[in-house]
Short mmCIF file of all heavy atoms in Angstrom, two decimals:
data_model
loop_
_atom_site.label_atom_id
_atom_site.label_comp_id
_atom_site.label_asym_id
_atom_site.label_seq_id
_atom_site.Cartn_x
_atom_site.Cartn_y
_atom_site.Cartn_z
N PRO B 531 -4.04 -18.27 -7.80
CA PRO B 531 -4.36 -19.15 -6.67
C PRO B 531 -5.58 -18.68 -5.89
O PRO B 531 -6.39 -19.50 -5.44
CB PRO B 531 -3.11 -19.12 -5.81
CG PRO B 531 -2.21 -18.11 -6.38
CD PRO B 531 -2.69 -17.72 -7.72
N HIS B 534 -8.79 -19.99 -7.46
CA HIS B 534 -8.99 -21.43 -7.19
C HIS B 534 -9.42 -21.64 -5.74
O HIS B 534 -10.31 -22.43 -5.46
CB HIS B 534 -7.69 -22.19 -7.46
CG HIS B 534 -7.39 -22.35 -8.92
ND1 HIS B 534 -8.09 -23.22 -9.73
CD2 HIS B 534 -6.50 -21.73 -9.72
CE1 HIS B 534 -7.61 -23.14 -10.97
NE2 HIS B 534 -6.65 -22.23 -10.99
N TYR B 535 -8.77 -20.91 -4.84
CA TYR B 535 -9.09 -21.07 -3.42
C TYR B 535 -10.56 -20.70 -3.15
O TYR B 535 -11.30 -21.47 -2.54
CB TYR B 535 -8.16 -20.20 -2.56
CG TYR B 535 -8.70 -19.95 -1.18
CD1 TYR B 535 -8.75 -20.96 -0.23
CD2 TYR B 535 -9.20 -18.69 -0.83
CE1 TYR B 535 -9.28 -20.74 1.03
CE2 TYR B 535 -9.73 -18.46 0.42
CZ TYR B 535 -9.77 -19.50 1.34
OH TYR B 535 -10.31 -19.27 2.59
N ASN B 536 -10.97 -19.53 -3.62
CA ASN B 536 -12.34 -19.07 -3.36
C ASN B 536 -13.37 -19.97 -4.03
O ASN B 536 -14.42 -20.25 -3.46
CB ASN B 536 -12.51 -17.63 -3.83
CG ASN B 536 -11.90 -16.66 -2.85
OD1 ASN B 536 -12.35 -16.55 -1.72
ND2 ASN B 536 -10.82 -16.00 -3.24
N LEU B 537 -13.02 -20.44 -5.23
CA LEU B 537 -13.92 -21.36 -5.91
C LEU B 537 -14.02 -22.66 -5.09
O LEU B 537 -15.12 -23.22 -4.92
CB LEU B 537 -13.41 -21.65 -7.33
CG LEU B 537 -14.31 -22.51 -8.20
CD1 LEU B 537 -15.66 -21.85 -8.42
CD2 LEU B 537 -13.66 -22.77 -9.56
N GLY B 538 -12.90 -23.11 -4.58
CA GLY B 538 -12.88 -24.33 -3.78
C GLY B 538 -13.76 -24.19 -2.55
O GLY B 538 -14.56 -25.09 -2.24
N VAL B 539 -13.66 -23.07 -1.87
CA VAL B 539 -14.46 -22.85 -0.66
C VAL B 539 -15.95 -22.82 -1.02
O VAL B 539 -16.79 -23.42 -0.33
CB VAL B 539 -14.03 -21.55 0.05
CG1 VAL B 539 -14.97 -21.21 1.18
CG2 VAL B 539 -12.60 -21.69 0.57
N ALA B 542 -17.16 -26.27 -1.76
CA ALA B 542 -17.30 -27.01 -0.52
C ALA B 542 -18.63 -26.66 0.15
O ALA B 542 -19.32 -27.53 0.67
CB ALA B 542 -16.12 -26.72 0.39
N ARG B 547 -17.70 -31.72 -2.82
CA ARG B 547 -16.46 -31.95 -2.12
C ARG B 547 -15.27 -32.28 -3.06
O ARG B 547 -14.18 -31.71 -2.92
CB ARG B 547 -16.71 -33.10 -1.14
CG ARG B 547 -15.57 -33.41 -0.22
CD ARG B 547 -15.94 -34.72 0.45
NE ARG B 547 -14.81 -35.27 1.15
CZ ARG B 547 -14.68 -35.27 2.45
NH1 ARG B 547 -15.60 -34.75 3.21
NH2 ARG B 547 -13.62 -35.80 3.01
N GLU B 548 -15.53 -33.20 -3.99
CA GLU B 548 -14.42 -33.64 -4.84
C GLU B 548 -13.84 -32.48 -5.65
O GLU B 548 -12.63 -32.27 -5.72
CB GLU B 548 -14.93 -34.73 -5.78
CG GLU B 548 -13.81 -35.61 -6.30
CD GLU B 548 -14.37 -36.78 -7.10
OE1 GLU B 548 -15.30 -37.46 -6.61
OE2 GLU B 548 -13.91 -36.97 -8.22
N ARG B 549 -14.74 -31.71 -6.22
CA ARG B 549 -14.29 -30.56 -7.02
C ARG B 549 -13.66 -29.48 -6.14
O ARG B 549 -12.74 -28.79 -6.53
CB ARG B 549 -15.48 -29.97 -7.80
CG ARG B 549 -15.88 -30.87 -8.97
CD ARG B 549 -16.34 -30.05 -10.15
NE ARG B 549 -15.43 -28.96 -10.48
CZ ARG B 549 -15.81 -27.81 -11.03
NH1 ARG B 549 -17.07 -27.62 -11.32
NH2 ARG B 549 -14.93 -26.87 -11.30
N ALA B 550 -14.18 -29.37 -4.91
CA ALA B 550 -13.61 -28.39 -3.98
C ALA B 550 -12.17 -28.75 -3.64
O ALA B 550 -11.27 -27.90 -3.67
CB ALA B 550 -14.45 -28.34 -2.71
N VAL B 551 -11.95 -30.05 -3.36
CA VAL B 551 -10.59 -30.51 -3.04
C VAL B 551 -9.66 -30.23 -4.21
O VAL B 551 -8.53 -29.75 -4.05
CB VAL B 551 -10.61 -32.02 -2.67
CG1 VAL B 551 -9.20 -32.58 -2.59
CG2 VAL B 551 -11.34 -32.22 -1.35
N GLN B 552 -10.15 -30.52 -5.41
CA GLN B 552 -9.37 -30.28 -6.63
C GLN B 552 -8.94 -28.81 -6.72
O GLN B 552 -7.77 -28.50 -6.95
CB GLN B 552 -10.28 -30.58 -7.83
CG GLN B 552 -9.76 -31.63 -8.74
CD GLN B 552 -10.79 -31.89 -9.84
OE1 GLN B 552 -11.67 -31.05 -10.13
NE2 GLN B 552 -10.71 -33.05 -10.44
N ALA B 553 -9.91 -27.92 -6.51
CA ALA B 553 -9.63 -26.48 -6.63
C ALA B 553 -8.64 -26.03 -5.55
O ALA B 553 -7.71 -25.26 -5.82
CB ALA B 553 -10.93 -25.69 -6.52
N LEU B 554 -8.83 -26.53 -4.34
CA LEU B 554 -7.93 -26.12 -3.24
C LEU B 554 -6.51 -26.65 -3.47
O LEU B 554 -5.52 -25.96 -3.18
CB LEU B 554 -8.48 -26.61 -1.90
CG LEU B 554 -9.78 -25.91 -1.45
CD1 LEU B 554 -10.39 -26.62 -0.25
CD2 LEU B 554 -9.53 -24.44 -1.13
N ARG B 555 -6.43 -27.87 -3.99
CA ARG B 555 -5.10 -28.44 -4.28
C ARG B 555 -4.39 -27.62 -5.36
O ARG B 555 -3.19 -27.37 -5.29
CB ARG B 555 -5.23 -29.90 -4.74
CG ARG B 555 -5.56 -30.80 -3.56
CD ARG B 555 -5.09 -32.23 -3.80
NE ARG B 555 -5.29 -33.00 -2.58
CZ ARG B 555 -6.02 -34.12 -2.49
NH1 ARG B 555 -6.60 -34.61 -3.56
NH2 ARG B 555 -6.14 -34.74 -1.35
N ARG B 556 -5.18 -27.20 -6.34
CA ARG B 556 -4.59 -26.38 -7.42
C ARG B 556 -4.08 -25.05 -6.83
O ARG B 556 -3.01 -24.57 -7.20
CB ARG B 556 -5.65 -26.12 -8.49
CG ARG B 556 -5.15 -25.33 -9.69
CD ARG B 556 -4.28 -26.19 -10.61
NE ARG B 556 -3.68 -25.38 -11.66
CZ ARG B 556 -2.38 -25.31 -11.90
NH1 ARG B 556 -1.51 -26.01 -11.18
NH2 ARG B 556 -1.91 -24.56 -12.87
N ALA B 557 -4.86 -24.46 -5.92
CA ALA B 557 -4.43 -23.21 -5.27
C ALA B 557 -3.10 -23.42 -4.55
O ALA B 557 -2.19 -22.58 -4.62
CB ALA B 557 -5.50 -22.74 -4.29
N LEU B 558 -2.98 -24.58 -3.89
CA LEU B 558 -1.74 -24.86 -3.15
C LEU B 558 -0.56 -25.17 -4.07
O LEU B 558 0.58 -24.87 -3.75
CB LEU B 558 -1.97 -26.03 -2.19
CG LEU B 558 -2.61 -25.61 -0.87
CD1 LEU B 558 -3.14 -26.81 -0.12
CD2 LEU B 558 -1.61 -24.85 0.00
N GLU B 559 -0.87 -25.75 -5.22
CA GLU B 559 0.20 -25.99 -6.21
C GLU B 559 0.76 -24.66 -6.69
O GLU B 559 1.96 -24.49 -6.86
CB GLU B 559 -0.40 -26.69 -7.43
CG GLU B 559 -0.32 -28.21 -7.40
CD GLU B 559 -1.15 -28.80 -8.55
OE1 GLU B 559 -1.13 -28.21 -9.68
OE2 GLU B 559 -1.82 -29.78 -8.30
N LEU B 560 -0.17 -23.73 -6.92
CA LEU B 560 0.24 -22.44 -7.48
C LEU B 560 0.88 -21.54 -6.43
O LEU B 560 1.72 -20.71 -6.75
CB LEU B 560 -0.97 -21.74 -8.11
CG LEU B 560 -1.52 -22.42 -9.35
CD1 LEU B 560 -2.93 -21.95 -9.66
CD2 LEU B 560 -0.61 -22.17 -10.54
N PHE B 564 0.05 -21.72 0.96
CA PHE B 564 -1.10 -20.79 1.03
C PHE B 564 -1.92 -21.17 2.29
O PHE B 564 -2.63 -22.18 2.29
CB PHE B 564 -1.92 -21.00 -0.24
CG PHE B 564 -3.01 -19.99 -0.51
CD1 PHE B 564 -3.68 -20.00 -1.73
CD2 PHE B 564 -3.38 -19.03 0.44
CE1 PHE B 564 -4.69 -19.08 -2.02
CE2 PHE B 564 -4.39 -18.12 0.17
CZ PHE B 564 -5.03 -18.15 -1.05
N ALA B 566 -4.63 -20.16 4.00
CA ALA B 566 -6.09 -20.32 3.96
C ALA B 566 -6.48 -21.58 3.20
O ALA B 566 -7.39 -22.32 3.61
CB ALA B 566 -6.72 -19.09 3.33
N ALA B 567 -5.79 -21.85 2.09
CA ALA B 567 -6.10 -23.03 1.29
C ALA B 567 -5.75 -24.30 2.06
O ALA B 567 -6.49 -25.29 2.02
CB ALA B 567 -5.36 -22.97 -0.04
N GLN B 568 -4.61 -24.25 2.76
CA GLN B 568 -4.21 -25.41 3.57
C GLN B 568 -5.27 -25.71 4.63
O GLN B 568 -5.68 -26.85 4.81
CB GLN B 568 -2.88 -25.10 4.28
CG GLN B 568 -1.68 -25.53 3.46
CD GLN B 568 -0.37 -25.12 4.11
OE1 GLN B 568 -0.33 -24.22 4.95
NE2 GLN B 568 0.70 -25.77 3.72
N ALA B 569 -5.73 -24.65 5.31
CA ALA B 569 -6.72 -24.82 6.38
C ALA B 569 -8.03 -25.37 5.81
O ALA B 569 -8.63 -26.29 6.37
CB ALA B 569 -6.95 -23.49 7.08
N ALA B 570 -8.46 -24.80 4.66
CA ALA B 570 -9.72 -25.23 4.06
C ALA B 570 -9.64 -26.69 3.62
O ALA B 570 -10.57 -27.47 3.82
CB ALA B 570 -10.07 -24.33 2.88
N LEU B 571 -8.49 -27.04 3.04
CA LEU B 571 -8.31 -28.41 2.57
C LEU B 571 -8.27 -29.38 3.75
O LEU B 571 -8.88 -30.46 3.71
CB LEU B 571 -7.00 -28.51 1.77
CG LEU B 571 -6.80 -29.78 0.96
CD1 LEU B 571 -7.89 -29.98 -0.07
CD2 LEU B 571 -5.44 -29.77 0.27
N ALA B 572 -7.57 -28.97 4.82
CA ALA B 572 -7.49 -29.82 6.00
C ALA B 572 -8.89 -30.03 6.59
O ALA B 572 -9.26 -31.16 6.94
CB ALA B 572 -6.57 -29.19 7.03
N LEU B 574 -11.70 -29.84 5.07
CA LEU B 574 -12.54 -30.60 4.15
C LEU B 574 -12.19 -32.09 4.18
O LEU B 574 -13.08 -32.95 4.12
CB LEU B 574 -12.32 -30.04 2.73
CG LEU B 574 -13.40 -30.30 1.71
CD1 LEU B 574 -14.72 -29.74 2.15
CD2 LEU B 574 -12.99 -29.67 0.38
#
Side-chain angles (χ1 to χ4, degrees):
Chain B
H534 286 287
Y535 161 71
N536 283 294
L537 185 61
V539 172
R547 186 191 168 106
E548 203 173 311
R549 286 216 48 210
V551 170
Q552 238 177 21
L554 291 170
R555 286 206 173 123
R556 183 75 187 125
L558 277 165
E559 267 171 39
L560 292 162
F564 190 171
Q568 269 175 340
L571 192 60
L574 202 59

